[in-house]
Amino acid sequence: MNSVDSVLIDLTQLPLERTGVGIYAVNYVQRLREQAGEAHLSFLVLDDDAALIRDVRAIPNATAIVLKASLFRRFLFRVLLEQLIMPVLAITRGIGATHSLHYSFPLLSFGRFKRIVTVCDMSFFLFPELHVPAKRVFFQFFIRRLPKVEGLLFISESTMHDFMRFFPHCEAQRCVIPLGADLARLQAAADARMIEELRQRFQLDRFILYVGTIEPRKNILGLVKAFERCAPNHPELKLVIAGKLGWDYDSLLAYIDASPVRERIVLTGYVDEAEKHALLKSALLFTYVSFYEGFGLPVLEGMAAGVPTITSNISSMPEVAGKGAIQVDPNDVGQIADAMQSLLADAQARAELAERGRVQSRAFTWESTTAISLDFYRRLLGRREAAARLGQLNE
């Protein structure tokens, strides 16, 4: 990959509190330090994200283009960046392709560079009612135009299948890049002081854990109702809901406040990676019974950490979980509760499921995600080079 065929990767969409696409992006950037080789990569990054800037600058041959967060964390300036500044940078610097990690992308390339977009899920079309209206309109607008870009990366086979259901005539070059887990870190023991600090802060002993954003799609209400059914048989057990508030959570919080086991439901708020690791290593069970996921990264992290895991039997989650987690119908509270009860009552079953989860998690690494992505860059830009050579021959 020569300088003419370099790639400009947009990291300005990432929030400072990492979830979902943020975790994907950070791990991708970190693995590029070892895997980028001679690739010429440029990155757009905001100046309030010191850790990300540091990771980018550690990549050989990489260029960090640092922009003011005070401007470009504002919606209108973000649109300006994406639709005007990115194309200008790509054209003036001889960039071969741009890579946008979260749906939206430069609509115009003037035939001068290719556009690659990572598609994280199709919930904006499958479950539009589960999104804030403004976001739904914005992202549906861009997703409808994805068939016109040159390259699409999907984080699961399920997501690509869902996309092709809506856009069967898409001509973009496509590739599935399953996400990964930091296996070494997740399998290692958590910091004992962090575990103790969290236990003291939230008065934890035996607990079931959920980690993720608090929003309707995650089916936290179904999880709480299932816990209510289990709670009488396990008076010492708590349910820990770890994650930041997303949207449309008022009815859920009201339900929790009125729950007969309210004192045993712990809402931690956002947890960083170290805190999440400590909670995973301390949990009796990990539950993630979402209505829909493009990949289901928390499921993979739960299995990798060696926690007996319960997840949903729909969308991408079976693809990730395999035989490493119990799969249930997320619409059936009874199934969720029965899965909890069976594991809570049987230590041997928990140990066997935890081991199957660890084995399953080994199939998903960030190193593989990165290698597939780099290969996709080379193949997409190789087509560009071949077309250019053919044009020269025909002149």
Side-chain angles (χ1 to χ4, degrees):
M1 190 180 295
N2 57 42
S3 59
V4 173
D5 281 331
S6 60
V7 178
L8 174 64
I9 302 171
D10 182 14
L11 301 177
T12 62
Q13 297 166 320
L14 307 183
L16 294 174
E17 293 183 345
R18 311 292 192 212
T19 61
V21 68
I23 294 173
Y24 152 50
V26 168
N27 280 279
Y28 180 44
V29 168
Q30 290 174 349
R31 295 328 182 272
L32 285 170
R33 288 180 295 190
E34 288 76 38
Q35 295 182 239
E38 297 181 358
H40 291 264
L41 304 175
S42 298
F43 298 84
L44 293 173
V45 61
L46 298 180
D47 61 6
D48 62 350
D49 206 332
L52 194 57
I53 293 171
R54 183 174 61 250
D55 287 340
V56 165
R57 287 176 172 165
I59 301 170
N61 302 313
T63 300
I65 303 171
V66 181
L67 304 171
K68 287 188 176 297
S70 58
L71 283 179
F72 293 107
R73 287 205 186 276
R74 300 179 184 180
F75 176 74
L76 290 179
F77 283 96
R78 242 226 69 75
V79 173
L80 176 67
L81 168 63
E82 196 167 63
Q83 302 307 321
L84 179 61
I85 298 175
M86 276 184 69
V88 169
L89 285 172
I91 292 170
T92 58
R93 294 179 178 231
I95 297 292
T98 60
H99 182 184
S100 303
L101 302 181
H102 198 240
Y103 303 111
S104 60
F105 60 94
L107 293 172
L108 298 176
S109 66
F110 307 100
R112 300 286 297 277
F113 59 89
K114 295 194 173 186
R115 295 158 299 172
I116 302 167
V117 182
T118 297
V119 182
C120 295
D121 66 60
M122 285 295 291
S123 61
F124 289 102
F125 280 80
L126 291 167
F127 303 99
E129 71 280 4
L130 298 182
H131 289 283
V132 178
K135 283 188 175 182
R136 181 172 68 236
V137 171
F138 180 80
F139 287 118
Q140 282 184 348
F141 172 85
F142 279 97
I143 292 170
R144 286 193 178 96
R145 286 153 181 79
L146 287 176
K148 300 296 184 182
V149 306
E150 292 73 29
L152 292 175
L153 296 171
F154 298 91
I155 63 174
S156 67
E157 294 283 352
S158 172
T159 296
M160 184 166 71
H161 173 75
D162 290 338
F163 181 85
M164 295 306 294
R165 282 172 51 199
F166 285 93
F167 305 103
H169 303 297
C170 173
E171 296 181 0
Q173 188 172 352
R174 302 181 293 277
C175 182
V176 174
I177 51 157
L179 303 186
D182 189 340
L183 300 182
R185 182 181 63 83
L186 287 166
Q187 291 171 0
D191 183 90
R193 288 175 296 180
M194 177 68 74
I195 291 176
E196 183 58 27
E197 194 274 328
L198 290 170
R199 285 189 179 277
Q200 292 292 331
R201 190 196 316 172
F202 298 113
Q203 297 298 296
L204 300 178
D205 184 15
R206 290 165 58 86
F207 63 93
I208 296 172
L209 176 65
Y210 161 85
V211 178
T213 304
I214 298 174
E215 61 184 14
R217 179 162 60 97
K218 304 301 183 178
N219 191 27
I220 300 170
L221 180 59
L223 175 59
V224 171
K225 290 180 177 179
F227 175 71
E228 288 175 338
R229 296 191 185 190
C230 298
N233 298 325
H234 304 275
E236 79 291 354
L237 190 68
K238 290 187 176 182
L239 174 64
V240 175
I241 299 171
K244 67 180 182 179
L245 295 174
W247 78 285
D248 196 15
Y249 47 77
D250 290 339
S251 60
L252 170 66
L253 298 183
Y255 184 93
I256 291 173
D257 283 340
S259 172
V261 293
R262 173 63 187 94
E263 73 281 1
R264 293 164 58 187
I265 300 174
V266 178
L267 297 165
T268 70
Y270 174 78
V271 293
D272 62 26
E273 289 299 294
E275 292 169 327
K276 180 171 68 174
H277 187 205
L279 287 170
L280 283 168
K281 285 298 186 178
S282 307
L284 198 61
L285 303 177
F286 180 71
T287 51
Y288 197 83
V289 288
S290 173
F291 290 124
Y292 174 84
E293 292 294 321
F295 182 81
L297 189 57
V299 178
L300 177 58
E301 293 180 330
M303 295 189 302
V307 192
T309 297
I310 300 169
T311 191
S312 301
N313 62 2
I314 55 177
S315 70
S316 65
M317 287 166 281
E319 189 178 330
V320 175
K323 296 181 179 179
I326 292 179
Q327 299 176 26
V328 297
D329 180 351
N331 295 289
D332 189 332
V333 171
Q335 272 196 40
I336 303 170
D338 288 346
M340 289 179 178
Q341 292 275 32
S342 66
L343 290 173
L344 291 169
D346 191 339
Q348 182 62 30
R350 294 198 301 273
E352 291 174 356
L353 183 61
E355 179 56 28
R356 293 203 304 272
R358 280 189 285 263
V359 171
Q360 174 70 7
S361 71
R362 293 171 194 152
F364 300 91
T365 67
W366 290 117
E367 286 76 14
S368 177
T369 304
T370 303
I372 295 170
S373 301
L374 288 169
D375 182 65
F376 186 79
Y377 293 166
R378 295 185 183 101
R379 287 189 287 115
L380 190 67
L381 293 173
R383 286 187 178 186
R384 179 176 185 263
E385 289 180 344
R389 288 195 294 270
L390 183 61
Q392 291 171 357
L393 290 173
N394 291 333
E395 288 178 355

